Amino acid sequence: MLTTYGAALCFVLASVLTGQGVAWLIGRRVWWAPAPAVGLALLLCVAGLGSRLPERAVVSPVLLGLVLAVAGALAVRSGGRVSWPGLAGLAAAALALLASALPFYVNGRAGVLGVSLNNDTSAHLVWAEGLRSSTMAALYPLPEGYPLAPHALMAALASVTGIAMDEVLNGLLIAVGVLTALTALGLLARLPPVARAAGAALVAFAYLPAAYYGQGAFKETMMALFVLAFTAVLAEAHAPHAREPWLFAGVPAGLVAAGAVQVYSYLALGWFATVTVVWLAFELALGGREGAVSRARAALPALALPVGVGVAVLVVAVASQADRVLALLDLFSLSPATAEGAIAVSNLGNLVGRLSPYEVLGAWPSADFRFAPANAFHAGQLGVIALAAALAGAVVALRRREAAVVAGTAAALAVFWVADRGQSPYVAAKALVVAAPLVMTLALGALPVRPWRSRDRTGVARILLVAVFAVSAAYSTSLALRAAPVASDAAERELGALRHLLGSRPTLFLGSDNHVGWWLRDVRLGTPLAAAVGSPLPVTVRPEKPAAPGQPLDFDSVDAQTLDRFAYVITPRSDYDSEPPANFARVRAGALYELWERRGRTEARRTLEPPGAPGAPLDCRRRGRGAGTARVWPSPPRVANSGVPIPPGTSADLGLRLARGRWRLSLQYTSTTPVRILSRLGTFRLPANTAIPGPFFAFGELDMPAAGPVGFRVIAEQSARIGSRGAGANVGALAASAAGPEQDRPVERSCGRYLDWYRAP
């Protein structure tokens, strides 16, 4: 945990120092709100350049070190005149750090965010590792066209500090929140210091950005930061107190846009072009109200110089990524939804449907951003309050002739409106995340500066309106952060401990975990259920037992020829699965997984079970008696299906009717917390499991003195921490398998018996 926040601190300090160096060069001698984002953008551009050069694992950190050295020299040369954000900035950063820690606090562990909700983090981790490891680059080739500058920045920090890449990724996510809060300070400059600091933190962790932070998504939150910073640049470039010429507005604007291209490729430019056009329209409209339309139009030619500078900076900064940008343009064209092989309109990603546009307002009391709040009426009331606050903030800003935030918000919402009508809900949701901090900034701007000294009779009403909105928004954010899943340390620890044993020998994984490529990095891995980055060694399942979502895999899921391609096989530790072939020996067993070593060739065998089952009764009326040998279970397994979610601290009851004898028990589940299983014959426990649903996991045995029903109560344990609210558990089924060895019987004498597999002559 300390190393995660150490990585975040490195990103924050490097971004602030670099941004202040740029500020000094363009004539800023005081704290400059866009500086943190400008600094991060420049670091991304440099990291992206380093990743394209030979010996990138060394060159990229060296180039970044040179940039930081120059920025430090500029800070020294300024004689301390380049100031820092002050107490309000420190308070905003501290609040943002506290908010970022909430998922780790609730889950009681540090780990990869979003596991089981978002499998993209597995791809980002192996790609970032591939930028500094030739082995990983060979196993997981870097994608053509995909922007990899953030990965290069993570790889550089991991190489210099020795911090693990998953901790560096979390550090980057946290740092983006802190940098967003520091950037928001400038746009909330008129507020009192306490409200300003709290408001800046709320802008950084508005509901949708908080939800995306909780699923480990950094591209959307970084885009939101850069669009917010671009708006701040426009606000300060044309503010009455601005001292630098308009020429110098082009440099930071170009850098911010370049940083966004490094994260989101050429598609990012749509936001900046729209913000600029809408902002100019507002500036002309406000000038017209004062009878200054002619003067405003006369000023337009003067924009050519800063726009030209900004475009030049943008082009130079992204030149090293030109081939990637063009490759993605060839794939996506101007519309990802219409390009062949791109993101189809029907693609939902990890969503369950189209997001409600009202989520952008920040008052959305639902722990899972993909679903509507349980109380739609109360959610509607909060939405009305949030909308009223945003409209009030827009009126206040326009009265003050401060059009940048209003224009930025309107432009970001316009981008969402276009995406919502022409792109998939998955793509449109990203545009909604980018708009959320601007909407929050606009709404908080409705708060009067000193209502007790103002003649404005609406001051008290605006205070009440913004206060109610801010409380509801903070509560909504807390729900999203408290429900954010954090990877189970049990699976990470068990699988990670096998890496040194497996080495470079081919290994087959028969579980369901999208992050297995990261847990088993550097391993030549094959898995039928390929994660987001695919499987280095392709694996095909038996056509008679196809892999199905939510169903377990076992040894019978693949044929003998496939098994003979691998030296090791990793399976979930379960008693509701097919028997391993005789040439496989178990060499390691943990709470969740077992490691099997192949010794010799695998003898071919046939199966007749459906997907998800370890066997099936032999129906001789359909298949005939035939000849051959069958592997028969002592007794058919008993299965109780559930399929119900279990919130933390609650339980679900399942029942089985078991015969006399000894039974081995397995549970099909995922859970962010440990799970207890109670019965009259014993109490059992399983660790948290944040993989995707599918496998059964063994948890104990029962001795039945006589045949009869047995009840099981499955409890999702609740943390004793104040305010904890994890996602809880999802139980698919509970299975009981009769203890005892399987028997070989002639197929002709096995009619009606439960077969694991059989061999035909």
Side-chain angles (χ1 to χ4, degrees):
M1 191 69 177
L2 290 177
T3 50
T4 294
Y5 277 87
L9 184 62
C10 289
F11 284 127
V12 170
L13 292 179
S15 299
V16 171
L17 180 62
T18 305
Q20 286 296 85
V22 175
W24 192 89
L25 287 176
I26 64 173
R28 282 284 184 176
R29 297 296 186 266
V30 295
W31 171 254
W32 186 46
V38 171
L40 178 61
L42 181 55
L43 293 174
L44 286 170
C45 294
V46 174
L49 171 62
S51 70
R52 310 307 306 277
L53 297 175
E55 301 296 331
R56 62 193 176 200
V58 176
V59 171
S60 191
V62 169
L63 289 178
L64 289 167
L66 289 175
V67 170
L68 292 174
V70 171
L74 291 174
V76 172
R77 184 177 179 182
S78 70
R81 291 192 298 274
V82 177
S83 65
W84 301 96
L87 292 178
L90 293 176
L95 290 173
L97 287 173
L98 287 175
S100 71
L102 198 52
F104 307 119
Y105 167 79
V106 168
N107 285 274
R109 58 180 179 268
V112 179
L113 286 164
V115 170
S116 76
L117 179 60
N118 176 19
N119 64 1
D120 287 353
T121 49
S122 63
H124 297 310
L125 286 168
V126 299
W127 291 339
E129 194 71 18
L131 287 170
R132 66 171 189 155
S133 165
S134 58
T135 300
M136 286 294 286
L139 291 174
Y140 300 94
L142 300 175
E144 291 293 332
Y146 197 91
L148 294 174
H151 309 75
L153 188 61
M154 290 189 291
L157 182 62
S159 297
V160 171
T161 63
I163 300 175
M165 195 66 73
D166 49 357
E167 295 180 295
V168 171
L169 173 58
N170 281 347
L172 179 62
L173 286 162
I174 295 166
V176 169
V178 174
L179 296 175
T180 303
L182 294 176
T183 303
L185 285 173
L187 295 172
L188 299 173
R190 292 184 178 273
L191 300 185
V194 174
R196 187 184 178 203
L202 193 53
V203 169
F205 283 92
Y207 177 75
L208 277 177
Y212 271 66
Y213 163 81
Q215 62 171 331
F218 63 87
K219 292 184 299 178
E220 294 79 8
T221 54
M222 290 179 83
M223 270 301 301
L225 165 62
F226 288 136
V227 173
L228 186 74
F230 190 82
T231 303
V233 169
L234 295 180
E236 296 210 357
H238 196 50
H241 62 273
R243 294 182 180 179
E244 70 274 11
W246 274 62
L247 169 63
F248 298 117
V251 174
L255 282 175
V256 168
V261 172
Q262 300 281 359
V263 174
Y264 222 74
S265 194
Y266 68 95
L267 295 169
L269 297 178
W271 274 277
F272 301 103
T274 307
V275 170
T276 302
V277 170
V278 175
W279 175 69
L280 287 174
F282 270 97
E283 288 292 330
L284 287 173
L286 291 176
R289 290 172 56 186
E290 296 178 346
V293 175
S294 59
R295 290 197 301 272
R297 289 177 177 173
L300 288 178
L303 291 175
L305 189 56
V307 170
V309 170
V311 172
V313 170
L314 169 64
V315 171
V316 172
V318 301
S320 65
Q321 307 298 317
D323 58 334
R324 288 191 174 277
V325 171
L326 293 175
L328 196 66
L329 179 62
D330 288 340
L331 175 64
F332 278 9
S333 70
L334 294 179
S335 173
T338 58
E340 183 179 353
I343 303 174
V345 175
S346 59
N347 189 331
L348 292 177
N350 66 339
L351 305 179
V352 296
R354 173 179 176 266
L355 289 190
S356 170
Y358 293 106
E359 294 191 46
V360 77
L361 296 171
W364 190 258
S366 174
D368 192 329
F369 74 101
R370 301 172 300 171
F371 298 95
N375 192 319
F377 179 73
H378 288 168
Q381 290 178 311
L382 295 177
V384 169
I385 293 172
L387 182 60
L391 292 175
V395 171
V396 170
L398 293 177
R399 284 180 176 175
R400 292 172 177 164
R401 306 294 190 266
E402 297 172 354
V405 176
V406 181
T409 304
L413 292 176
V415 172
F416 164 72
W417 184 84
V418 172
D420 194 42
R421 278 149 183 78
Q423 306 297 323
S424 74
Y426 175 68
V427 172
K430 298 173 183 290
L432 209 58
V433 176
V434 173
L438 282 163
V439 174
M440 182 65 67
T441 303
L442 193 65
L444 295 174
L447 188 67
V449 179
R450 295 182 179 86
W452 52 89
R453 297 182 183 179
S454 174
R455 296 181 181 179
D456 185 0
R457 297 179 180 179
T458 65
V460 175
R462 283 159 51 198
I463 288 178
L464 292 176
L465 176 65
V466 174
V468 173
F469 161 69
V471 169
S472 63
Y475 173 70
S476 300
T477 290
S478 72
L479 291 179
L481 292 175
R482 287 157 58 194
V486 175
S488 165
D489 50 0
E492 180 180 2
R493 185 172 57 252
E494 282 190 26
L495 294 175
L498 300 177
R499 291 172 52 211
H500 72 283
L501 177 63
L502 302 175
S504 61
R505 285 170 287 188
T507 301
L508 176 63
F509 180 73
L510 292 176
S512 298
D513 192 325
N514 282 325
H515 287 72
V516 66
W518 175 248
W519 310 142
L520 295 174
R521 53 192 175 276
D522 299 331
V523 175
R524 296 174 58 203
L525 190 67
T527 175
L529 298 179
V533 288
S535 176
L537 301 177
V539 177
T540 303
V541 298
R542 291 179 183 266
E544 62 269 29
K545 190 177 179 180
Q551 298 292 346
L553 302 169
D554 59 24
F555 275 101
D556 281 350
S557 297
V558 295
D559 58 24
Q561 290 78 11
T562 299
L563 290 172
D564 282 342
R565 293 168 47 205
F566 295 94
Y568 291 100
V569 176
I570 298 174
T571 65
R573 191 175 71 85
S574 173
D575 291 311
Y576 185 67
D577 60 355
S578 297
E579 180 185 51
N583 62 318
F584 278 85
R586 186 172 65 182
V587 295
R588 187 75 63 87
L592 295 175
Y593 293 100
E594 295 177 316
L595 176 64
W596 304 83
E597 183 180 15
R598 183 176 61 83
R599 299 171 180 174
R601 294 187 62 83
T602 307
E603 189 174 0
R605 62 193 193 187
R606 300 182 180 181
T607 64
L608 52 82
E609 65 261 26
L618 176 60
D619 187 350
C620 292
R621 292 174 298 178
R622 296 180 59 188
R623 294 181 175 268
R625 293 179 180 272
T629 302
R631 194 70 163 171
V632 179
W633 279 39
S635 178
R638 309 291 195 269
V639 179
N641 293 309
S642 174
V644 298
I646 308 174
T650 64
S651 63
D653 293 326
L654 298 170
L656 292 172
R657 187 171 186 85
L658 303 178
R660 182 177 179 273
R662 190 169 186 82
W663 293 84
R664 299 187 176 117
L665 305 171
S666 301
L667 187 69
Q668 185 184 41
Y669 81 108
T670 59
S671 180
T672 59
T673 64
V675 168
R676 279 185 295 136
I677 305 100
L678 309 180
S679 76
R680 60 183 173 85
L681 299 176
T683 299
F684 312 94
R685 194 173 188 268
L686 280 168
N689 170 36
T690 51
I692 59 177
F696 283 78
F697 295 94
F699 64 85
E701 297 185 355
L702 281 181
D703 283 316
M704 292 291 294
V710 181
F712 297 89
R713 174 160 292 177
V714 182
I715 303 172
E717 295 184 359
Q718 185 172 23
S719 172
R721 293 176 174 82
I722 298 174
S724 295
R725 183 192 176 92
N730 282 282
V731 175
L734 189 149
S737 308
E742 298 184 12
Q743 301 176 352
D744 288 331
R745 296 173 60 93
V747 172
E748 60 185 13
R749 295 174 53 191
S750 301
C751 298
R753 301 295 296 270
Y754 194 87
L755 267 62
D756 185 345
W757 47 266
Y758 69 98
R759 292 191 182 96

